[in-house]
Amino acid sequence: MKWKGRRQSSNVEDRRGSSTGGKVAVGGGIIGLIFLAIQLFSGGDISETLQQLENQVPATTESRELTADEIELGEFTETVLADTEDIWNKIFSENNMNYQEPGLVLFTDGVRTACGGASAASGPFYCPADQKVYMDLSFFEELRTRFGAQGGDFAIAYVIAHEVGHHVQTILGTSGKVRQLQQEQNQTAANQLSVALELQADFYAGVWAYHNKEYLEEGDIQEAMSAASAVGDDAIQKRTSGRVVPDAFTHGTSKQRIEWFMRGYNSGDIRQGDTFNGRLN
Ligand SMILES: [Zn+2]
């Protein structure tokens, strides 16, 4: 993605230099993997899980200098967030609505949020209570080495755009409606609604990429698709339990995630994104 020298968002809070000391003990190996898998791109109510993590986030802080790579990754994140602001401001105003821009917090190891404490193992997530996206950028190394995604800057951009998609769903009231409906339904139906919510965030990421086409480079869409595919429920289930159980899907299969991203990317039209198939009306 062509990003250098372009506008950077002022809504990014960089807490990497003053991270909480020590590693958060969420456990490595298979437990860490399953935990990460469950939390990946979580769009639902994550506060409970985060609460459990809260105790594990150390209270002490220590300061350190950021490396040149970390600084560059921060600038990249600010540019991508600025792109999402420009595009969603435009789309909202075209629909006579006001877009409230979300915040984005970069952290290492552990962080406190209005949804509870989080660690790198939480994966990137959006907290509706403070309308901020939280990301430990080491997650992307994990995505490449443990989940087999090909990596690349556009994989990160896609994830930011996906999390911003959850912010859009929150301010449009979609997330609230889904949560209400889920309480009235059995687990399978509730899971299907979670899948639809996740796929719509992928669709919104695609809409963002459509409006950002002039900055895309060869291979960028491939990078996003590789990341989306690596975090599909079926891919994660196969890797963690060796089998695929569709009823337990909460994020969508690799194929579905790619399909909805591409639908957004090809149309650029938010009206094409009813992943709920009318269930919310
Ligand atoms: Zn998500």
Side-chain angles (χ1 to χ4, degrees):
M1 186 180 143
K2 298 179 206 122
W3 66 274
K4 291 203 171 162
R6 295 176 39 220
R7 186 175 86 79
Q8 297 173 352
S9 171
S10 53
N11 291 319
V12 174
E13 229 177 286
D14 201 335
R15 297 192 202 157
R16 291 176 299 172
S18 59
S19 70
T20 49
K23 290 272 175 205
V24 176
V26 179
I30 193 71
I31 292 171
L33 185 66
I34 290 168
F35 187 82
L36 176 68
I38 291 166
Q39 290 307 305
L40 273 176
F41 297 61
S42 179
D45 188 3
I46 48 160
S47 51
E48 224 170 88
T49 330
L50 293 181
Q51 227 88 61
Q52 291 163 12
L53 272 172
E54 175 105 51
N55 308 335
Q56 296 164 16
V57 179
T60 55
T61 57
E62 56 188 37
S63 296
R64 66 176 178 86
E65 296 284 315
L66 295 179
T67 66
D69 279 355
E70 285 175 319
I71 291 168
E72 179 163 280
L73 217 46
E75 288 170 352
F76 173 73
T77 302
E78 286 167 358
T79 308
V80 173
L81 189 65
D83 282 341
T84 68
E85 289 163 357
D86 294 344
I87 285 154
W88 285 111
N89 271 314
K90 180 170 167 280
I91 293 174
F92 269 63
S93 82
E94 281 168 1
N95 289 280
N96 300 315
M97 289 183 293
N98 240 337
Y99 181 61
Q100 306 141 251
E101 298 171 354
L104 190 153
V105 178
L106 293 176
F107 69 96
T108 34
D109 300 336
V111 70
R112 286 175 191 283
T113 84
C115 299
S119 77
S122 315
F125 66 95
Y126 170 74
C127 170
D130 56 20
Q131 304 207 341
K132 286 177 185 170
V133 174
Y134 289 88
M135 298 210 309
D136 181 330
L137 293 170
S138 67
F139 162 78
F140 293 97
E141 199 43 38
E142 196 103 345
L143 200 59
R144 212 170 52 77
T145 54
R146 290 173 88 171
F147 287 84
Q150 70 182 55
D153 63 359
F154 206 74
I156 302 179
Y158 151 71
V159 171
I160 295 172
H162 172 99
E163 297 307 335
V164 168
H166 286 312
H167 172 68
V168 170
Q169 292 172 322
T170 297
I171 57 182
L172 289 179
T174 313
S175 310
K177 266 192 219 165
V178 166
R179 220 150 290 151
Q180 202 170 356
L181 263 182
Q182 280 176 324
Q183 283 165 5
E184 303 157 4
Q185 313 239 7
N186 64 29
Q187 195 59 49
T188 302
N191 284 348
Q192 283 169 359
L193 285 166
S194 285
V195 169
L197 199 64
E198 287 306 317
L199 294 179
Q200 192 178 56
D202 284 334
F203 169 81
Y204 285 156
V207 169
W208 164 80
Y210 168 90
H211 290 280
N212 223 29
K213 261 183 190 159
E214 60 182 302
Y215 303 116
L216 297 193
E217 291 172 315
E218 182 87 32
D220 276 350
I221 293 300
Q222 210 79 41
E223 287 171 12
M225 292 307 79
S226 173
S229 167
V231 293
D233 278 326
D234 50 344
I236 289 173
Q237 279 188 356
K238 256 189 222 151
R239 209 155 293 152
T240 52
S241 73
R243 63 203 176 93
V244 176
V245 191
D247 272 359
F249 287 174
T250 54
H251 294 72
T253 63
S254 300
K255 186 164 168 276
Q256 285 176 312
R257 300 197 75 155
I258 290 175
E259 249 171 42
W260 280 100
F261 176 89
M262 289 312 289
R263 205 178 287 200
Y265 179 64
N266 289 328
S267 72
D269 178 5
I270 51 164
R271 279 172 292 270
Q272 311 282 320
D274 183 14
T275 54
F276 298 93
N277 220 347
R279 273 172 296 174
L280 280 197
N281 304 324

PDB file of all heavy atoms in Angstrom, residues 40-44 124 162-163 166 169 197-199 201-202 251 257, ligand 1:
ATOM      1  N   LEU A  40      -9.976 -13.611  18.266  1.00  0.00           N
ATOM      2  CA  LEU A  40      -9.615 -12.978  17.004  1.00  0.00           C
ATOM      3  C   LEU A  40     -10.744 -12.156  16.437  1.00  0.00           C
ATOM      4  O   LEU A  40     -11.834 -12.651  16.234  1.00  0.00           O
ATOM      5  CB  LEU A  40      -9.261 -14.048  15.975  1.00  0.00           C
ATOM      6  CG  LEU A  40      -7.821 -14.502  15.979  1.00  0.00           C
ATOM      7  CD1 LEU A  40      -7.666 -15.616  14.985  1.00  0.00           C
ATOM      8  CD2 LEU A  40      -6.929 -13.349  15.604  1.00  0.00           C
ATOM      9  N   PHE A  41     -10.485 -10.900  16.196  1.00  0.00           N
ATOM     10  CA  PHE A  41     -11.436 -10.049  15.487  1.00  0.00           C
ATOM     11  C   PHE A  41     -12.788 -10.049  16.180  1.00  0.00           C
ATOM     12  O   PHE A  41     -13.809  -9.854  15.563  1.00  0.00           O
ATOM     13  CB  PHE A  41     -11.651 -10.538  14.050  1.00  0.00           C
ATOM     14  CG  PHE A  41     -10.435 -10.483  13.199  1.00  0.00           C
ATOM     15  CD1 PHE A  41      -9.304 -11.201  13.514  1.00  0.00           C
ATOM     16  CD2 PHE A  41     -10.414  -9.671  12.087  1.00  0.00           C
ATOM     17  CE1 PHE A  41      -8.188 -11.138  12.726  1.00  0.00           C
ATOM     18  CE2 PHE A  41      -9.295  -9.612  11.284  1.00  0.00           C
ATOM     19  CZ  PHE A  41      -8.176 -10.349  11.603  1.00  0.00           C
ATOM     20  N   SER A  42     -12.784 -10.287  17.435  1.00  0.00           N
ATOM     21  CA  SER A  42     -14.043 -10.463  18.138  1.00  0.00           C
ATOM     22  C   SER A  42     -14.906  -9.214  18.020  1.00  0.00           C
ATOM     23  O   SER A  42     -14.475  -8.131  18.327  1.00  0.00           O
ATOM     24  CB  SER A  42     -13.771 -10.755  19.606  1.00  0.00           C
ATOM     25  OG  SER A  42     -14.986 -10.887  20.266  1.00  0.00           O
ATOM     26  N   GLY A  43     -16.114  -9.401  17.558  1.00  0.00           N
ATOM     27  CA  GLY A  43     -16.993  -8.255  17.403  1.00  0.00           C
ATOM     28  C   GLY A  43     -18.096  -8.276  18.435  1.00  0.00           C
ATOM     29  O   GLY A  43     -18.799  -7.306  18.646  1.00  0.00           O
ATOM     30  N   GLY A  44     -18.239  -9.389  19.103  1.00  0.00           N
ATOM     31  CA  GLY A  44     -19.324  -9.529  20.068  1.00  0.00           C
ATOM     32  C   GLY A  44     -18.933  -8.947  21.415  1.00  0.00           C
ATOM     33  O   GLY A  44     -18.085  -8.079  21.513  1.00  0.00           O
ATOM     34  N   PRO A 124      -6.480  -8.155  17.958  1.00  0.00           N
ATOM     35  CA  PRO A 124      -7.045  -6.802  17.810  1.00  0.00           C
ATOM     36  C   PRO A 124      -8.540  -6.845  18.112  1.00  0.00           C
ATOM     37  O   PRO A 124      -9.202  -7.820  17.790  1.00  0.00           O
ATOM     38  CB  PRO A 124      -6.821  -6.490  16.326  1.00  0.00           C
ATOM     39  CG  PRO A 124      -5.836  -7.490  15.839  1.00  0.00           C
ATOM     40  CD  PRO A 124      -5.999  -8.697  16.689  1.00  0.00           C
ATOM     41  N   HIS A 162     -11.382  -3.683   9.361  1.00  0.00           N
ATOM     42  CA  HIS A 162     -12.391  -4.597   9.911  1.00  0.00           C
ATOM     43  C   HIS A 162     -12.848  -4.116  11.295  1.00  0.00           C
ATOM     44  O   HIS A 162     -14.050  -4.060  11.579  1.00  0.00           O
ATOM     45  CB  HIS A 162     -11.806  -6.014  10.001  1.00  0.00           C
ATOM     46  CG  HIS A 162     -12.669  -7.014  10.715  1.00  0.00           C
ATOM     47  ND1 HIS A 162     -13.485  -7.909  10.063  1.00  0.00           N
ATOM     48  CD2 HIS A 162     -12.858  -7.238  12.045  1.00  0.00           C
ATOM     49  CE1 HIS A 162     -14.137  -8.647  10.958  1.00  0.00           C
ATOM     50  NE2 HIS A 162     -13.771  -8.260  12.181  1.00  0.00           N
ATOM     51  N   GLU A 163     -11.897  -3.744  12.140  1.00  0.00           N
ATOM     52  CA  GLU A 163     -12.257  -3.265  13.485  1.00  0.00           C
ATOM     53  C   GLU A 163     -13.030  -1.955  13.407  1.00  0.00           C
ATOM     54  O   GLU A 163     -13.976  -1.734  14.167  1.00  0.00           O
ATOM     55  CB  GLU A 163     -11.006  -3.106  14.359  1.00  0.00           C
ATOM     56  CG  GLU A 163     -10.237  -4.401  14.633  1.00  0.00           C
ATOM     57  CD  GLU A 163     -11.093  -5.514  15.202  1.00  0.00           C
ATOM     58  OE1 GLU A 163     -12.136  -5.223  15.819  1.00  0.00           O
ATOM     59  OE2 GLU A 163     -10.742  -6.693  15.001  1.00  0.00           O
ATOM     60  N   HIS A 166     -16.554  -2.598  12.892  1.00  0.00           N
ATOM     61  CA  HIS A 166     -17.337  -2.837  14.117  1.00  0.00           C
ATOM     62  C   HIS A 166     -17.754  -1.516  14.760  1.00  0.00           C
ATOM     63  O   HIS A 166     -18.825  -1.423  15.365  1.00  0.00           O
ATOM     64  CB  HIS A 166     -16.522  -3.665  15.120  1.00  0.00           C
ATOM     65  CG  HIS A 166     -16.408  -5.114  14.738  1.00  0.00           C
ATOM     66  ND1 HIS A 166     -17.499  -5.868  14.360  1.00  0.00           N
ATOM     67  CD2 HIS A 166     -15.343  -5.952  14.687  1.00  0.00           C
ATOM     68  CE1 HIS A 166     -17.097  -7.106  14.089  1.00  0.00           C
ATOM     69  NE2 HIS A 166     -15.797  -7.176  14.268  1.00  0.00           N
ATOM     70  N   GLN A 169     -20.717  -0.377  12.820  1.00  0.00           N
ATOM     71  CA  GLN A 169     -21.892  -1.147  13.252  1.00  0.00           C
ATOM     72  C   GLN A 169     -22.423  -0.652  14.598  1.00  0.00           C
ATOM     73  O   GLN A 169     -23.617  -0.659  14.841  1.00  0.00           O
ATOM     74  CB  GLN A 169     -21.519  -2.631  13.387  1.00  0.00           C
ATOM     75  CG  GLN A 169     -21.207  -3.303  12.064  1.00  0.00           C
ATOM     76  CD  GLN A 169     -20.658  -4.709  12.248  1.00  0.00           C
ATOM     77  OE1 GLN A 169     -19.881  -4.964  13.170  1.00  0.00           O
ATOM     78  NE2 GLN A 169     -21.051  -5.617  11.374  1.00  0.00           N
ATOM     79  N   LEU A 197     -22.489 -10.559  11.770  1.00  0.00           N
ATOM     80  CA  LEU A 197     -21.875  -9.310  12.240  1.00  0.00           C
ATOM     81  C   LEU A 197     -20.412  -9.231  11.807  1.00  0.00           C
ATOM     82  O   LEU A 197     -19.937  -8.201  11.332  1.00  0.00           O
ATOM     83  CB  LEU A 197     -21.992  -9.234  13.767  1.00  0.00           C
ATOM     84  CG  LEU A 197     -21.847  -7.868  14.430  1.00  0.00           C
ATOM     85  CD1 LEU A 197     -22.968  -6.930  14.014  1.00  0.00           C
ATOM     86  CD2 LEU A 197     -21.827  -8.004  15.954  1.00  0.00           C
ATOM     87  N   GLU A 198     -19.704 -10.349  11.943  1.00  0.00           N
ATOM     88  CA  GLU A 198     -18.296 -10.402  11.532  1.00  0.00           C
ATOM     89  C   GLU A 198     -18.143 -10.234  10.018  1.00  0.00           C
ATOM     90  O   GLU A 198     -17.264  -9.523   9.553  1.00  0.00           O
ATOM     91  CB  GLU A 198     -17.668 -11.734  11.957  1.00  0.00           C
ATOM     92  CG  GLU A 198     -17.411 -11.843  13.443  1.00  0.00           C
ATOM     93  CD  GLU A 198     -16.593 -10.676  13.967  1.00  0.00           C
ATOM     94  OE1 GLU A 198     -15.608 -10.286  13.301  1.00  0.00           O
ATOM     95  OE2 GLU A 198     -16.945 -10.141  15.024  1.00  0.00           O
ATOM     96  N   LEU A 199     -19.019 -10.927   9.276  1.00  0.00           N
ATOM     97  CA  LEU A 199     -18.918 -10.856   7.817  1.00  0.00           C
ATOM     98  C   LEU A 199     -19.219  -9.444   7.332  1.00  0.00           C
ATOM     99  O   LEU A 199     -18.638  -8.959   6.370  1.00  0.00           O
ATOM    100  CB  LEU A 199     -19.857 -11.870   7.156  1.00  0.00           C
ATOM    101  CG  LEU A 199     -19.509 -13.344   7.407  1.00  0.00           C
ATOM    102  CD1 LEU A 199     -20.520 -14.255   6.734  1.00  0.00           C
ATOM    103  CD2 LEU A 199     -18.103 -13.665   6.908  1.00  0.00           C
ATOM    104  N   ALA A 201     -18.491  -6.737   8.992  1.00  0.00           N
ATOM    105  CA  ALA A 201     -17.274  -5.957   9.254  1.00  0.00           C
ATOM    106  C   ALA A 201     -16.242  -6.214   8.151  1.00  0.00           C
ATOM    107  O   ALA A 201     -15.521  -5.295   7.734  1.00  0.00           O
ATOM    108  CB  ALA A 201     -16.699  -6.306  10.628  1.00  0.00           C
ATOM    109  N   ASP A 202     -16.180  -7.456   7.652  1.00  0.00           N
ATOM    110  CA  ASP A 202     -15.308  -7.755   6.513  1.00  0.00           C
ATOM    111  C   ASP A 202     -15.785  -7.018   5.264  1.00  0.00           C
ATOM    112  O   ASP A 202     -14.988  -6.496   4.491  1.00  0.00           O
ATOM    113  CB  ASP A 202     -15.279  -9.266   6.225  1.00  0.00           C
ATOM    114  CG  ASP A 202     -14.419 -10.024   7.222  1.00  0.00           C
ATOM    115  OD1 ASP A 202     -13.488  -9.419   7.787  1.00  0.00           O
ATOM    116  OD2 ASP A 202     -14.681 -11.214   7.441  1.00  0.00           O
ATOM    117  N   HIS A 251     -17.488 -16.418  13.522  1.00  0.00           N
ATOM    118  CA  HIS A 251     -16.853 -15.389  12.692  1.00  0.00           C
ATOM    119  C   HIS A 251     -17.023 -15.616  11.194  1.00  0.00           C
ATOM    120  O   HIS A 251     -16.785 -14.720  10.415  1.00  0.00           O
ATOM    121  CB  HIS A 251     -15.358 -15.291  12.992  1.00  0.00           C
ATOM    122  CG  HIS A 251     -15.059 -14.803  14.368  1.00  0.00           C
ATOM    123  ND1 HIS A 251     -15.275 -15.565  15.482  1.00  0.00           N
ATOM    124  CD2 HIS A 251     -14.586 -13.625  14.803  1.00  0.00           C
ATOM    125  CE1 HIS A 251     -14.928 -14.871  16.554  1.00  0.00           C
ATOM    126  NE2 HIS A 251     -14.516 -13.687  16.171  1.00  0.00           N
ATOM    127  N   ARG A 257     -15.593 -15.131   4.555  1.00  0.00           N
ATOM    128  CA  ARG A 257     -14.902 -13.885   4.882  1.00  0.00           C
ATOM    129  C   ARG A 257     -14.345 -13.242   3.618  1.00  0.00           C
ATOM    130  O   ARG A 257     -14.451 -12.034   3.414  1.00  0.00           O
ATOM    131  CB  ARG A 257     -13.795 -14.143   5.910  1.00  0.00           C
ATOM    132  CG  ARG A 257     -14.334 -14.711   7.216  1.00  0.00           C
ATOM    133  CD  ARG A 257     -13.354 -14.573   8.335  1.00  0.00           C
ATOM    134  NE  ARG A 257     -13.307 -13.187   8.786  1.00  0.00           N
ATOM    135  CZ  ARG A 257     -12.932 -12.815  10.008  1.00  0.00           C
ATOM    136  NH1 ARG A 257     -12.576 -13.718  10.884  1.00  0.00           N
ATOM    137  NH2 ARG A 257     -12.927 -11.557  10.333  1.00  0.00           N
TER     138      ARG A 257
HETATM  139 ZN    ZN B   1     -14.566  -8.723  14.063  1.00  0.00          ZN
END
